[in-house]
Amino acid sequence: MPSNLNKKKIFTGRIALISAPWPLFERPSIQLGALKGYLQTAEPEVKVSCSHFFLQMAEALGYPSYRMISQRTWLAESVYAALLYPEHYDRIEKFFNQQAPKNKDGVELDFLSLTKQVKAVSDDFITQTDWNSLDLAGFSVCLCQLTASLYFIRQIRRRCFDLPLIAGGSIIAGHTAGDLLAAFPEIDLIISGEGELPLTKIIRHLKKGGLCNDLFPSAGIISRKHEQKNCQAPFSQLADLKSLPLPDFSEYFELLSNFSTEKKFFPILPVEMSRGCWWKSKGESDSDIPGSNRSKGCAFCNLNLQWEGYRRKSAEQAINEIDTLTDKHRVLSAAFMDNSLPGATGRKVFDKLTNLGKDLYCFAELRASEDYETLRKLSAGGVKEVQVGIEALSSRLLKKINKGTTATDNLEMMKNCEALGIKNTANIILHFPGSDEEDVAETLRVLRFARFFRPLHIVHFWLGIQSPVWTNPRKYGLLGVYNHPYYRHLFPDEILRQVRFMIQDYRGNKMFQKKLWRPVDQAVRQWQKDYNQIHSKPYSSPALTFHDGGKFLILRERRAGLETINHRLEGSSRQIYMFCSQSRPFNEIRDQFPSFSADNLKSFLAMMTRKELMFEEDERYLSLAVPATGRDFRPAAQKGGPAHCLHIHT
């Protein structure tokens, strides 16, 4: 049902911003908070109300049930799909039951009861809101929020025929935006990219008595006046982030404060230090360099369809935001929403955060190229959990996916996290198209050395619309791309024919890839079991530690189901091992220890590698043990001692 937006309406200055289920309920919507903070500065006479409705839904369903649904895209999208298309309820219910885990963590999901409860809570919110008193309602549509947002938009349109309904967000970026606008006439406009400037422009247009139908396509705004199906409006975004005021999360914390005591919790503050991807931006600036392989960032990634370039806040601005918001809301947990925490700014921020005197617990996403000193400063400033962009343990494969890192980089980052007690929730991608037997063999080799560190989480490759793989399918051996077949369970055929959804699928050797990567899948699962067994007791030490005796070093290797092995390194053997606490090329090791011949050094390093106490790649060496005491393990610069025999006692 299209809206009647040719009807003039007196502008009252009231707009609503809504975040539907199913984001993580433990933190407010950074999108709503940032937009409200900006609009209150840019248009102070406009009253902006934000509804973090997903929190309301989590409280109603119970946090365990909500969490289980929100962590699985297809479960989340199924619930509101059944409400959008009740005529296809049976098909959607069958699909939901196929995807739902069985009695995991004591939670059993009954689809009929679930959809009834979700509908009741949603419809109650819709009927109790005076939509006719608003000038505009905007929806933030990110991961797991598509069908829920469409349901709200459709129900609101039926009640309020002339209210402008606008959508924007990461899950409807790129080609998907124009397709959705054409397929769902209830939506009046879609914001492409970040929303501050486009939303301000729309509000000012409405203030002057304009109508959505009068608003011609412009940067950041997609309307039905776009004539080409593939038309993607250029972005209209802030030149820098200096003008961003503090985000406003008032409604989220007010809603939480009204919950019963047993439903209250301490939320996590979302913090934004940058927008875009500095790695992709660096690749774009280097794209004219012959042989450059970084022109489009990581090959599998489509997370930056809503940004152009890379921008970051100053360290002072970020620190003020963290300090002010933690004081205001009386919480100490924060999650940095950046695609990857900017290294230089991050070091400055967390250097100064230590001076705030606050025991922060922070989560951040990092690139594996960050060095130990950066990680140490992040840890001292409160970063206790990270997701490092590992993705693969084969340097050949890392090159294919344009990560710009090596297996050595990844192992060193995993080791540093283990040494500093930082929880690393990184992923390993299986079934990447174009990977081959050599990639798998290299991965299996590196896994033997990675076993001492926190295991990676298995992720099966999925194809994102407008990612480099999707854009250039032939390069990666793809014979054709199309909507993921799971969408057939959620949407009618006429919608599937019109909309290119965010999650895509492809033809081309998928069964071969599954068979090829099966040994890695099994090895990673065994790694997870062994690590859990080794760390089953409280205060368990890392699996491979060193105990420094000054003139000698004892390495302690804990093994699942087997006795611990102890190794002792004497004299220069100890010095070399400590020198390689960070990865070193052979030439640098040789220069540091000139009293030893190259053959003797290589013989010692090869022995340590055979024992899997050190890792070697392209004549670069990394010692794998972490300090048992948790002290800084960076070695002091010192030349090797007298040229006696290099050895190890086991």
Side-chain angles (χ1 to χ4, degrees):
M1 179 187 297
S3 60
N4 182 13
L5 296 179
N6 289 314
K7 180 180 178 182
K8 293 285 184 181
K9 184 177 180 180
I10 298 174
F11 189 83
T12 62
R14 295 188 60 201
I15 72 169
L17 302 177
I18 301 140
S19 183
W22 303 84
L24 301 179
F25 71 87
E26 297 96 334
R27 61 193 186 203
S29 166
I30 184 66
Q31 294 82 7
L32 266 57
L35 282 173
K36 180 175 181 178
Y38 182 84
L39 291 173
Q40 287 177 327
T41 301
E43 295 292 321
E45 73 280 11
V46 173
K47 181 175 176 55
V48 182
S49 63
C50 292
S51 173
H52 302 259
F53 178 72
F54 59 88
L55 176 60
Q56 191 172 332
M57 182 61 71
E59 188 270 343
L61 295 182
Y63 300 138
S65 295
Y66 183 96
R67 181 180 288 110
M68 181 177 290
I69 296 169
S70 66
Q71 291 174 344
R72 294 165 174 81
T73 299
W74 300 114
L75 290 187
E77 297 293 9
S78 295
V79 177
Y80 278 95
L83 303 184
L84 265 176
Y85 305 108
E87 65 274 20
H88 300 305
Y89 179 90
D90 292 343
R91 181 182 73 192
I92 299 171
E93 179 183 33
K94 182 179 179 181
F95 174 66
F96 179 92
N97 290 333
Q98 290 171 348
Q99 298 295 314
K102 306 303 178 186
N103 196 27
K104 183 178 180 182
D105 299 327
V107 177
E108 191 74 43
L109 298 173
D110 177 75
F111 193 64
L112 179 60
S113 299
L114 176 64
T115 51
K116 284 184 177 180
Q117 189 173 9
V118 167
K119 186 178 189 305
V121 177
S122 301
D123 290 353
D124 188 53
F125 167 75
I126 293 169
T127 56
Q128 289 188 16
T129 302
D130 184 6
W131 303 103
N132 287 296
S133 67
L134 299 174
D135 297 299
L136 177 151
F139 287 81
S140 171
V141 190
C142 298
L143 189 65
C144 299
Q145 290 182 293
L146 179 57
T147 55
S149 299
L150 291 173
Y151 177 78
F152 276 87
I153 288 171
R154 180 167 290 178
Q155 294 302 313
I156 294 168
R157 175 62 67 227
R158 289 172 177 171
R159 289 164 172 76
C160 191
F161 198 50
D162 59 353
L163 174 65
L165 298 177
I166 297 171
S170 59
I171 206 69
I172 55 172
H175 294 331
T176 306
D179 294 353
L180 281 172
L181 192 64
F184 292 92
E186 300 93 342
I187 305 173
D188 298 306
L189 298 169
I190 286 183
I191 290 177
S192 174
E194 68 186 28
E196 284 88 356
L197 296 181
L199 189 54
T200 301
K201 180 176 182 178
I202 293 170
I203 290 172
R204 289 173 178 171
H205 176 75
L206 297 176
K207 281 174 61 177
K208 294 177 181 178
L211 305 170
C212 282
N213 286 347
D214 301 333
L215 194 59
F216 282 89
S218 61
I221 301 173
I222 299 178
S223 77
R224 289 184 175 79
K225 296 183 183 293
H226 281 96
E227 296 179 355
Q228 299 178 2
K229 182 176 177 61
N230 287 330
C231 181
Q232 185 173 332
F235 295 130
S236 175
Q237 61 184 33
L238 301 168
D240 57 56
L241 304 186
K242 295 178 183 177
S243 59
L244 275 180
L246 286 172
D248 189 328
F249 303 125
S250 302
E251 290 92 346
Y252 178 93
F253 283 92
E254 182 180 354
L255 176 62
L256 181 61
S257 69
N258 290 324
F259 288 173
S260 59
T261 302
E262 65 273 11
K263 293 291 186 73
K264 292 180 180 178
F265 58 88
F266 291 105
I268 301 168
L269 274 174
V271 179
E272 183 182 46
M273 283 177 57
S274 63
R275 291 182 179 180
C277 173
W278 66 261
W279 171 245
K280 178 180 179 182
S281 179
K282 181 179 180 180
E284 289 170 345
S285 65
D286 293 344
S287 60
D288 57 337
I289 298 175
S292 173
N293 198 32
R294 300 202 303 271
S295 61
K296 293 187 178 179
C298 299
F300 57 85
C301 180
N302 72 341
L303 294 179
N304 293 284
L305 296 183
Q306 73 271 34
W307 314 116
E308 184 174 55
Y310 175 73
R311 296 150 295 154
R312 63 186 175 195
K313 297 177 181 177
S314 67
E316 292 72 23
Q317 185 179 1
I319 292 166
N320 175 67
E321 184 171 317
I322 296 167
D323 192 25
T324 303
L325 290 176
T326 52
D327 274 353
K328 178 179 180 179
H329 299 297
R330 293 294 191 262
V331 294
L332 290 172
S333 296
F336 289 87
M337 311 306 292
D338 308 52
N339 287 331
S340 180
L341 202 64
T345 303
R347 283 192 294 272
K348 293 179 183 177
V349 167
F350 286 93
D351 255 350
K352 295 181 179 181
L353 278 181
T354 58
N355 299 325
L356 293 180
K358 295 183 176 181
D359 294 325
L360 297 171
Y361 186 101
C362 300
F363 166 84
E365 296 193 28
L366 302 175
R367 277 184 56 80
S369 55
E370 300 291 0
D371 59 20
Y372 174 81
E373 180 60 21
T374 296
L375 200 63
R376 187 190 65 78
K377 289 185 176 182
L378 297 184
S379 175
V383 173
K384 305 304 179 186
E385 186 173 346
V386 297
Q387 185 173 69
V388 179
I390 299 290
E391 324 306 358
L393 292 176
S394 158
S395 291
R396 289 180 81 252
L397 184 54
L398 286 163
K399 187 175 182 180
K400 291 177 182 178
I401 62 180
N402 295 352
K403 283 298 297 184
T405 52
T406 65
T408 301
D409 295 329
N410 286 343
L411 279 182
E412 188 165 2
M413 174 58 90
M414 294 165 68
K415 169 194 169 177
N416 290 342
C417 287
E418 201 82 10
L420 292 165
I422 297 174
K423 182 179 179 181
N424 177 19
T425 59
N427 298 323
I428 182 170
I429 299 174
L430 307 188
H431 313 154
F432 184 81
S435 54
D436 55 30
E437 291 87 347
E438 195 170 342
D439 298 327
V440 170
E442 188 176 346
T443 301
L444 289 170
R445 171 184 173 262
V446 177
L447 278 172
R448 300 202 312 268
F449 298 86
R451 72 182 189 276
F452 302 118
F453 314 129
R454 181 175 291 275
L456 303 177
H457 176 68
I458 295 172
V459 173
H460 298 142
F461 171 80
W462 63 273
L463 182 63
I465 194 170
Q466 291 177 261
S467 65
V469 176
W470 186 91
T471 304
N472 192 5
R474 296 289 179 177
K475 176 180 177 181
Y476 298 93
L478 277 58
L479 303 179
V481 298
Y482 45 83
N483 282 334
H484 197 288
Y486 283 177
Y487 285 115
R488 298 174 189 165
H489 302 283
L490 307 180
F491 290 95
D493 290 342
E494 60 269 21
I495 299 296
L496 294 173
R497 286 192 292 267
Q498 294 182 73
V499 180
R500 289 162 292 182
F501 290 101
M502 188 60 63
I503 303 177
Q504 297 278 288
D505 205 351
Y506 65 96
R507 296 190 305 275
N509 288 330
K510 286 197 293 185
M511 295 308 297
F512 168 76
Q513 289 294 336
K514 289 181 180 179
K515 182 178 179 181
L516 181 67
W517 284 94
R518 193 169 297 139
V520 173
D521 186 292
Q522 295 168 349
V524 173
R525 294 184 190 281
Q526 187 61 49
W527 175 19
Q528 293 167 344
K529 291 179 182 178
D530 292 345
Y531 187 90
N532 290 337
Q533 182 179 343
I534 290 172
H535 294 81
S536 59
K537 295 181 180 179
Y539 311 109
S540 295
S541 62
L544 181 63
T545 55
F546 69 76
H547 305 249
D548 192 4
K551 296 180 180 179
F552 63 92
L553 199 67
I554 293 177
L555 307 181
R556 186 168 183 260
E557 181 182 349
R558 300 173 63 216
R559 302 181 298 168
L562 298 171
E563 291 186 2
T564 296
I565 299 178
N566 293 309
H567 313 269
R568 186 171 65 245
L569 294 174
E570 303 275 3
S572 295
S573 300
R574 167 195 170 274
Q575 291 179 24
I576 295 171
Y577 194 83
M578 293 292 286
F579 184 69
C580 295
S581 289
Q582 63 186 66
S583 59
R584 307 277 189 178
F586 178 76
N587 290 341
E588 188 176 330
I589 302 171
R590 183 185 58 194
D591 293 344
Q592 184 71 16
F593 298 92
S595 58
F596 296 100
S597 69
D599 287 343
N600 281 344
L601 276 175
K602 285 190 174 181
S603 177
F604 171 72
L605 294 169
M607 176 183 64
M608 298 299 288
T609 302
R610 284 195 304 272
K611 290 180 176 291
E612 298 175 0
L613 301 173
M614 296 181 74
F615 177 74
E616 181 274 332
E617 181 180 42
D618 296 331
E619 292 203 327
R620 192 173 188 92
Y621 295 85
L622 172 69
S623 299
L624 299 176
V626 302
T629 59
R631 66 177 176 83
D632 192 337
F633 60 76
R634 292 170 300 166
Q638 55 184 350
K639 293 294 182 180
H644 62 272
C645 181
L646 297 169
H647 57 275
I648 177 173
H649 298 287
T650 300

